[in-house]
Amino acid sequence: MRVKSVQAWWVRIPIEVAKQHRSDFGQVTTFDAAILRIETDDGLVGWGEGKNAAGSAGSYAALVHMLNREIGPQLIGRDPADIGVIWEMLYNGVRHEAAAHAGHAMPQLARRGVSVAAISAVDIALWDILGKSLGQPVWRLLGGRKVERMQAYASGGWAAAGAIGEQLKSYVARGGFKALKMRVGAMDGAPHVSAARVRAARQAIGPDVELMVDAHGTYTVAEAKRFINLTADLDLAWFEEPVIADDKPGMAEVRASGSTPIATGESEATRYSFRDLAVLKSADIFQPDPAFCGGISEAMKIGTIASAFNLRFSPHLWAGAPCFFAGLHVCAASPASFIIEYSLGANPMIHDLVEETVEAKDGMIAIPEKPGLGFTISERFLEAHAQRS
Ligand SMILES: [Mg+2]
């Protein structure tokens, strides 16, 4: 089995006005991703996804160009089952053979960001191919599935204090969720405005539904500590990205200021960044994004770091289908996983891009059974929304 072709597209799917939401990322009018298709000489097709923008909208011209012009040619003729070897080859660049012999990394200068987003897309697609070639779901190749269904949380919550309770209760009615996440932070201005929204949410949903908040990294350390103080009696399950990812010591200071668990990691890539979060005691819950952190292989390693530091793991799955399904398989196999992110924003990159129905029932998501990652891309839909760049 050899890689025959590698093709990436910037897929941009418009979101109808009635389904759009507004946050600190602005009005979200499209869902964008770099979608990767790898085909083998025996006709197997694997799908991957790379991500380089916050929120669901963004420009993917550079990432797609890199996949098609720089990464793709290096994969042609390779055995797609060499997933880890290919990961290290792409990460280490011209010194990959020296790194392989020496037993430690010698990465390229541009070793984060778009580079690892591209590796993520390749890694996800290669796992899809390996599973399909063996007739097994990817979770079986990662060590097995600890549950057949896993608890999910509804990810949304943008409404103002007067409407947030109804918005969150509509999520419970739709999917039976027992855990809900709402947005806070810069979109509200001062921390007390966000705290008032969270208080209204807690009053509406009662004490028995888990409530998480996500500030998208928009607070200063001082503002984040103030927010923790103002919400200390609201039993939050986690406070996500209180400050920017580039302030890991500040995140640790926020964590130490109260008893609210801190979750972070959607803006982090590779095992090395999550090692730093663990050593600095910056977070309780790691949230790597499979389409940005380095794919399924790296997400599994990050889950192992979480487990070793007695932390937990809940991947960032605000994503298209390849990334979302990758997250399901990783959660099924990782000892540190406990809950799955399920977007309640408009998500055509899952629901319209694949032929399967993806939904939560009783607040749970089923772990896929089919070989590979377990989804079928609608190639006509993809072609119709591919940007010509
Ligand atoms: Mg987040």
Side-chain angles (χ1 to χ4, degrees):
M1 184 169 64
R2 298 283 153 183
V3 172
K4 186 178 81 178
S5 68
V6 179
Q7 172 74 48
W9 299 267
W10 171 5
V11 179
R12 161 163 280 187
I13 310 174
I15 297 172
E16 57 187 278
V17 174
K19 292 184 176 176
Q20 294 175 6
H21 71 267
R22 169 168 284 280
S23 74
D24 49 293
F25 298 132
Q27 187 81 9
V28 179
T29 60
T30 60
F31 207 113
D32 296 70
I35 301 293
L36 178 68
R37 182 186 191 277
I38 298 181
E39 185 169 354
T40 68
D41 55 3
D42 45 5
L44 287 175
V45 173
W47 293 95
E49 177 179 350
K51 190 186 292 176
N52 60 228
S56 58
S59 169
Y60 283 85
L63 177 53
V64 164
H65 187 84
M66 185 176 198
L67 282 163
N68 286 333
R69 301 294 177 85
E70 292 186 35
I71 304 285
Q74 298 179 63
L75 304 180
I76 304 298
R78 298 284 314 222
D79 183 340
D82 285 345
I83 302 174
V85 175
I86 289 172
W87 200 105
E88 298 295 331
M89 175 190 80
L90 296 174
Y91 184 66
N92 289 300
V94 292
R95 297 183 295 184
H96 72 272
E97 287 179 350
H101 286 294
H104 62 88
M106 301 181 190
Q108 306 218 65
L109 207 60
R111 69 192 191 287
R112 292 285 196 281
V114 175
S115 301
V116 175
I119 296 174
S120 303
V122 171
D123 185 88
I124 292 169
L126 295 182
W127 277 107
D128 193 22
I129 288 172
L130 183 61
K132 286 169 176 166
S133 73
L134 298 172
Q136 298 288 343
V138 169
W139 52 259
R140 194 179 297 285
L141 311 178
L142 299 175
R145 171 175 67 168
K146 64 184 183 183
V147 290
E148 292 182 2
R149 301 193 308 158
M150 187 170 278
Q151 194 193 352
Y153 71 87
S155 186
W158 301 273
I164 188 69
E166 285 312 307
Q167 187 173 46
L168 296 183
K169 284 198 282 189
S170 76
Y171 301 163
V172 176
R174 185 166 144 188
F177 297 99
K178 296 172 183 66
L180 310 166
K181 189 168 88 184
M182 60 181 284
R183 268 59 189 181
V184 298
M187 68 180 213
D188 290 331
H192 73 84
V193 179
S194 286
R197 289 178 56 241
V198 179
R199 190 165 297 280
R202 176 55 86 196
Q203 278 169 358
I205 64 174
D208 296 329
V209 177
E210 297 244 64
L211 182 60
M212 302 89 142
V213 298
D214 185 352
H216 293 170
T218 57
Y219 282 142
T220 63
V221 169
E223 287 168 333
K225 288 159 75 172
R226 180 95 183 111
F227 177 85
I228 284 182
N229 206 20
L230 289 167
T231 56
D233 62 330
L234 298 177
D235 192 28
L236 295 179
W238 76 54
F239 180 15
E240 178 171 331
E241 288 201 297
V243 299
I244 56 168
D246 280 333
D247 188 7
K248 293 185 180 73
M251 192 113 42
E253 186 182 338
V254 171
R255 182 178 182 235
S257 75
S259 58
T260 306
I262 301 299
T264 195
E266 68 185 71
S267 298
E268 303 286 359
T270 77
R271 72 203 83 154
Y272 306 107
S273 285
F274 284 87
R275 171 207 60 200
D276 291 347
L277 286 171
V279 169
L280 290 167
K281 299 185 184 298
S282 301
D284 298 274
I285 295 135
F286 286 174
Q287 301 176 297
D289 185 314
F292 182 73
C293 78
I296 291 171
S297 302
E298 205 67 3
M300 287 300 294
K301 293 183 171 87
I302 291 161
T304 301
I305 295 172
S307 178
F309 281 81
N310 199 22
L311 304 171
R312 297 196 294 172
F313 171 81
S314 179
H316 177 247
L317 298 180
W318 192 278
C323 176
F324 180 77
F325 278 73
L328 297 184
H329 290 268
V330 166
C331 282
S334 175
S337 67
F338 66 109
I339 197 164
I340 287 168
E341 178 168 24
Y342 185 81
S343 162
L344 269 285
N347 192 335
M349 200 65 77
I350 293 179
H351 301 294
D352 298 337
L353 185 64
V354 303
E355 292 171 6
E356 289 77 9
T357 301
V358 180
E359 60 185 357
K361 283 183 185 155
D362 306 323
M364 309 285 279
I365 303 265
I367 304 301
E369 303 271 357
K370 286 198 274 191
L373 292 172
F375 59 83
T376 312
I377 295 270
S378 167
E379 297 203 39
R380 272 177 61 182
F381 184 85
L382 186 153
E383 290 279 354
H385 294 89
Q387 297 293 294
R388 306 295 164 200
S389 60

